[in-house]
Structures are given as structure tokens and as C-alpha cells.
Amino acid sequence: MTESPQPYRVLARKYRPQSFDALIGQDAMVQTLANAIRRDRIAHAFLMTGVRGVGKTTTARLIAKALNCIGPDGDGGPTIDPCGVCEPCKAIAEGRHIDVIEMDAASHTGIDDIREIVDASRYAAVSARYKVYIIDEVHMLSKAAFNGLLKTLEEPPPHVKFIFATTEVNKLPVTVLSRCQRFDLRRITVEMLEKHFAGIIELEGCTAEPEALHLIAVAAEGSVRDGLSILDQAIAHADLDGEGKVTAAQVRVMLGLSDRGAVRRLFGHMIAGETREMIDGLAEHYALGAEPLSLVRGLLDLTHAVTLAKVGRAVDPGLPEADREAMRGWANQIGHAALHRLWQLLLKAHDEVARAAMPLEALEMATLRICYAATMPDPGALARGLASTPELAPADAATPEAPANDDRTAQAEPATQGAPPPAPAPVEAPVEQPVDETPPWDEPEAADTPAPPATPVTPEVPSLPDVVEMLWRAGRGRLAQQTHDHVRPIEITTDRLVIARGDRIDDELCRDLADALGKVSQHRWTVTIGDGEGEPSLLEREHAAKARHEAEIKALPVVKAAFDHFPEAQLLPPLEPQDRKSAS
């Protein structure tokens, strides 16, 4: 009777790490556990967190082996390098050790399941040094189950160790987190995954192109298990070809990815604004099986790579020479602003394609928008070009030619070249002064000379801004603001103010104005409402001045040309000093 052949095991199970040395990408955790075991500072509860497939359950089993290993001679103690040949190591690796209990919290979520663990933890281990409870997906436990575990988790018997694994650590109660020694398992880098997959391909007796392994490592998104599942599928796909070699083209077809060269050509059409070629390329690759979302991701990856090359980062040497040459050319050709604008547009396109009921149509519309945006001129370059055009330069920027000077002008020209001639001094009418013929030594006594009559001083007639200023000095800020905004004066004298009728003008306002102005000027004021339109208020004058200023600015040739190119543009007011500081 012949024995049945060994059933096939997928790569993720076949190459599960059996020692901490085979665990890739988690050096910090391994170092911490090694030091804790050597110094006999082993925690009573461990929590493994991280994304799928980075080794949480594998690490939990390795910790159980490290704590219960007795060595080949049976006299060993806890070690970071379990022997793998003693009975506890073999039983734990095969999942049959009676003192290492694994529980899936997704299917055992209630308080009754936790009560069984609490009751069993009172008894010593049957054959191992420690009784180890591994609870996977621990975040699925109910609130009552967590509460039932808290006391035992805080003060477990010395022979019990708890190891929890979860992908959603934020769902665990803080009371549980505070009782565990937490390890955050990192995503595995693409370079580590490529090296790991290359070793497994060699052990499997197959061959693979480096670019194919790179595609698989990128698709794994930091998960070793996901990458091994894709690699397993790629090997099976390669066997159908008859050569037994995993190629990049086969991986792209298998994963529905777009060809790198195709993405490069699409990127070139997009930044050149070639809409017809862009749409034809999208349709061609969609017919070949490329998913629209993967095309957007490819364009995003390429934009990111070109931007990094723009800031001086070396192009990935693992890429084909054609890709590296194209990236360097685009980095020299496209500016930073255009690259960031392209990145934002592609991010928006990614969201639209992901949510769209018709992904291909959504991708076409998004890429058309990007093509048209790529052909638009840069606003800064446009402004500089307009400023450098002589016929569009501002009128006051040109220096007028000086008229030819005749002889008389040359004689009268001041010595300083280019300085404006001084304004002529105002000519005052001579005032005749009475002639005093009395010599200074024959002056009469002051007591005998009558004092001259005092010259009356005519008070200056105030203006409306003066009235507002007087109100501010009187401490009547609200009244001053109301006068500034709504009062239209008909007549202003030294003690009388006549204002036009209006919505905000009434007898009470007149009384308040007369009272406040009288207190400031120390004489009585009369404020009345008269007939007529009156002069504009100060607020209306400011609005009119602002409108005239904006009209003058818009009349400048450079600004007018800018508004012709951008009809929806707006003329913003200048920044205040505090706004400039915040903007910088």
C-alpha cells in the first residue's frame, strides 16, 4: 500500500518563520524581546499590532517557543533562539501543544469564553514552563469579555502568559492596553520583500524577472502574507507558459496592472496636452485588461517619482534605462508648480474613478481636464511676459524724453542734472509799517502809554472730518462712527451744523451731536436737519476714492491684459502688515 503524497501547502504556510532570525523587518521588537529574556524581565502580557500579514500570529508562536524551549538536551531555559528540535518546540510549531492555547476572538467573543480561560489559568501547565494563551483578533471581544479578563490580565498566575494580536488596536479598551507590553509591527519595505521573494523563488526551483518581483512587492503593500499569496499565484501562472519563469508582463496581466511603458506614454501625452492620443491610449490599455484605477495609480507614482527627481533625489537604479531617462527629462522640463498641480488633479481623478459607476468614462473625463490644464500658461510666467512687453508696460514705467534745450534753457538749468527746478517763491504784497520817529533812548514810560486794542481772533470754520475728530476726542466713538458713515453736511460754521435728511438721521442724533460738539469746543452748537442733498458722507467719499483707484489700476495695460486672459479674476486689496506676516 503506497502512502499518499504530502498535500500541497501554500507558500505563506510553507515558509512561515520558525525562528526570530527568519522574521524580517521587525528588528526593534526582536532586540527588545532578546534583552528581556536575557535579563529575566519577561512581561506577563504582550500585544502585537500591525497591518495584515506582517507576522503578528507568527511572532506570538515564536514567543511561546522561546519561553518554553528546553534545548536539545532538555536542560535549557527561555531563549531568544529556540532550538526547534525539543518536544515543546516541535509541538508548538505543529499547533498541538496542550499548554499553548490559541483562540480566535472573532468566533469566541463572549464572556463565557473568557470565563473558561480565567478558570483554566488557575492550574499549572501540564508539560511546559508557561501556559501561553494566544488570542488573535482580540479587538473582536465584547465589552463584558474584556471586563471579565481585566483582573486576571493585571495579576495573572506566574505560570501564565497572554499574547494578543490585532489589526485594529484603537478598538481595544485603554484598561487592556495599559496592562500589556505593546509591539507595533512595521510594514515590510519593498526592498525587503523583493529579497525575501527572490530567496523563496530559488527554493521553489523557479526563476523570476527582477521587475516581476518588484511588481509583486509593491502590490503586497507591506504584507508578507499578501506578497506570498501573489507570488504563489504568479508561479502557477508562469507554469502555464511552459518556461516556468515569472515575467513582469505575466504579473501585470494577472494583477490587472498597466504596463510601465504604457504609463510613461500616457504621462507624456498628458503633459503635452495631446487629448486624442491620451483617449486612444486609455481605450487600448482598458481593452488589454488594465483597470482604470491602476492607471491612475501608475500616473500618480510617475508624478511622484518625477517630483523627487526634480528636487534632486536620485532616480531608482532598479528601473529600466528608458524610465530613468524619461524621468530626468521631465524633471528638467516641468516646473515645481506644474508638478504639484498635476499631483492634485490626479488625486482628484483617483477619488472620482474609485467612486464612479463607469470608471473608464470617469478616467477619460479626468485626464481630459488634466490635458487642458497642462496647456494653460503659468500665471507667474504670464505676468512676467506681459511686464516685459513694451507695448503692454505701464505708462509711468517709461521715462519720457527730455525736450531739446535752447540756449536760454541751458543757461537757466540748475547744476544738478535730472533734478526738478525749484518752485518759485510766492510773492507777498508789501505791507506798509508806520514809521516810528521816536529814538529808542527817548521812549516814554510804559505806564504813560495806553495799551493798543486787542485784535479779534476769527475762529476757523471746521470741516466734516474735523467734526468727526472732535467727537472722537469727546469720547463719543459710536457717535463719531455714525457721523462718519451717514451724515451728509449741507452747511458747517463755527457753531452751526446743518445736515441732510436720511434713514439714520433724526432729532435725537442732532441733540447728541450738539451736546458733544459743545463740550469739546466750549461754546454752544446748533445742529439741525435741513432741506437738500448735502455733500457726500465721509464713507461715500472713501468708496468713491476706492472705485477711482481701482479704475486707474485696471486701466494699466498690464492689468488690462491680465483681465483679458483671465476674465473671472478679481482685484484684491493690498495686504495689511499683520496679514503679510501671517502669509509669510
Side-chain angles (χ1 to χ4, degrees):
M1 182 176 178
T2 58
E3 296 182 359
S4 60
Q6 184 72 19
Y8 175 74
R9 288 193 301 168
V10 296
L11 297 181
R13 293 185 58 192
K14 184 176 181 180
Y15 294 100
R16 184 189 293 271
Q18 298 300 321
S19 66
F20 283 102
D21 293 337
L23 195 65
I24 63 174
Q26 312 299 340
D27 298 336
M29 181 198 65
V30 173
Q31 183 66 35
T32 302
L33 290 174
N35 294 340
I37 291 175
R38 294 190 187 101
R39 298 171 184 173
D40 196 18
R41 301 177 63 89
I42 305 173
H44 62 271
F46 300 92
L47 174 63
M48 306 294 162
T49 72
V51 298
R52 68 200 183 281
V54 293
K56 298 184 294 297
T57 306
T58 298
T59 303
R61 294 176 181 176
L62 290 178
I63 293 175
K65 289 172 63 175
L67 296 179
N68 289 317
C69 178
I70 60 176
D73 55 359
D75 296 330
T79 175
I80 194 64
D81 298 315
C83 64
V85 297
C86 64
E87 181 58 28
C89 287
K90 290 182 179 179
I92 294 173
E94 296 172 3
R96 55 178 176 83
H97 200 290
I98 191 174
D99 292 321
V100 178
I101 301 96
E102 291 192 32
M103 187 185 83
D104 178 21
S107 55
H108 301 80
T109 61
I111 182 63
D112 293 335
D113 302 301
I114 295 301
R115 189 177 290 114
E116 293 180 6
I117 294 177
V118 172
D119 293 341
S121 65
R122 301 173 184 174
Y123 304 102
V126 176
S127 61
R129 187 178 297 111
Y130 293 103
K131 181 178 287 188
V132 181
Y133 290 94
I134 301 175
I135 303 179
D136 203 1
E137 302 299 333
V138 68
H139 65 274
M140 299 294 290
L141 290 178
S142 64
K143 182 178 180 180
F146 276 124
N147 292 334
L149 185 62
L150 285 180
K151 190 60 179 177
T152 305
L153 184 62
E154 183 176 10
E155 297 178 359
H159 59 274
V160 174
K161 302 293 181 184
F162 289 97
I163 305 178
F164 301 143
T166 179
T167 56
E168 300 183 39
V169 67
N170 58 309
K171 293 186 177 181
L172 268 67
V174 179
T175 50
V176 173
L177 294 176
S178 63
R179 290 167 167 82
C180 301
Q181 190 173 97
R182 174 174 169 176
F183 293 98
D184 292 275
L185 277 66
R186 301 170 52 190
R187 290 179 182 268
I188 313 302
T189 62
V190 174
E191 292 77 10
M192 288 184 177
L193 289 176
E194 289 183 25
K195 184 177 179 181
H196 185 60
F197 296 159
I200 291 177
I201 279 286
E202 186 177 353
L203 292 175
E204 290 292 308
C206 302
T207 57
E209 295 179 354
E211 187 176 356
L213 296 180
H214 178 79
L215 291 174
I216 296 174
V218 171
E221 297 181 347
S223 170
V224 181
R225 183 174 63 237
D226 288 7
L228 289 176
S229 299
I230 298 173
L231 182 62
D232 212 342
Q233 183 181 357
I235 293 176
H237 187 80
D239 288 339
L240 298 178
D241 188 59
E243 298 179 0
K245 184 177 183 179
V246 179
T247 64
Q250 293 170 339
V251 172
R252 289 193 185 94
V253 172
M254 182 186 70
L255 298 179
L257 300 175
S258 56
D259 183 22
R260 185 184 296 273
V263 174
R264 190 174 67 246
R265 290 190 294 272
L266 291 176
F267 188 85
H269 295 323
M270 187 169 57
I271 63 173
E274 299 170 351
T275 57
R276 184 183 182 88
E277 292 81 356
M278 185 75 187
I279 295 300
D280 293 342
L282 291 177
E284 177 184 354
H285 292 94
Y286 183 77
L288 293 176
E291 292 294 332
L293 197 60
S294 70
L295 287 172
V296 181
R297 289 175 180 171
L299 292 172
L300 279 168
D301 291 339
L302 190 52
T303 304
H304 178 255
V306 173
T307 305
L308 293 183
K310 181 74 176 178
V311 300
R313 180 176 176 179
V315 181
D316 187 3
L319 297 176
E321 179 61 27
D323 288 355
R324 297 199 301 270
E325 193 65 29
M327 288 183 186
R328 285 191 289 264
W330 286 323
N332 296 329
Q333 173 188 355
I334 310 174
H336 288 285
L339 284 172
H340 287 291
R341 179 174 60 185
L342 179 59
W343 175 261
Q344 294 297 328
L345 290 172
L346 284 173
L347 280 180
K348 182 175 177 60
H350 183 276
D351 294 340
E352 292 177 356
V353 173
R355 297 194 306 264
M358 298 180 293
L360 178 61
E361 287 76 2
L363 178 59
E364 290 176 345
M365 297 300 294
T367 51
L368 283 176
R369 181 172 63 239
I370 297 174
C371 288
Y372 288 122
T375 58
M376 291 179 61
D378 180 67
L382 179 62
R384 290 191 295 270
L386 291 175
S388 61
T389 305
E391 58 271 16
L392 295 179
D396 56 354
T399 304
E401 292 186 3
N405 296 332
D406 55 12
D407 295 339
R408 290 173 296 178
T409 306
Q411 293 175 2
E413 185 179 9
T416 304
Q417 297 294 331
V427 179
E428 297 182 358
V431 180
E432 294 184 0
Q433 300 292 339
V435 179
D436 187 6
E437 298 180 354
T438 304
W441 59 83
D442 196 15
E443 292 181 358
E445 295 291 336
D448 299 336
T449 304
T455 303
V457 179
T458 304
E460 185 178 355
V461 178
S463 63
L464 186 58
D466 297 334
V467 172
V468 174
E469 180 63 25
M470 293 168 65
L471 294 173
W472 280 109
R473 290 203 306 268
R476 304 294 297 273
R478 183 175 181 180
L479 185 60
Q481 188 66 44
Q482 191 172 1
T483 304
H484 173 277
D485 295 345
H486 306 295
V487 169
R488 290 182 284 111
I490 297 176
E491 179 185 356
I492 303 179
T493 64
T494 58
D495 57 357
R496 184 167 179 262
L497 173 61
V498 182
I499 59 180
R501 297 182 182 276
D503 296 336
R504 306 292 183 91
I505 306 301
D506 52 18
D507 294 337
E508 183 179 358
L509 175 65
C510 295
R511 288 193 300 268
D512 292 343
L513 283 174
D515 180 63
L517 293 174
K519 290 181 180 179
V520 176
S521 62
Q522 300 297 324
H523 63 267
R524 183 179 178 184
W525 273 74
T526 302
V527 181
T528 59
I529 300 175
D531 296 328
E533 293 294 332
E535 299 179 4
S537 67
L538 294 181
L539 181 62
E540 292 172 345
R541 299 176 194 178
E542 292 174 0
H543 288 170
K546 181 180 178 182
R548 288 194 301 270
H549 182 62
E550 291 183 357
E552 293 174 358
I553 294 177
K554 291 182 178 180
L556 295 175
V558 174
V559 180
K560 186 175 182 301
F563 273 97
D564 291 341
H565 283 82
F566 304 99
E568 298 181 0
Q570 296 180 356
L571 188 63
L572 299 179
L575 292 177
E576 297 295 334
Q578 61 270 19
D579 296 333
R580 294 193 188 100
K581 293 180 181 179
S582 60
S584 61

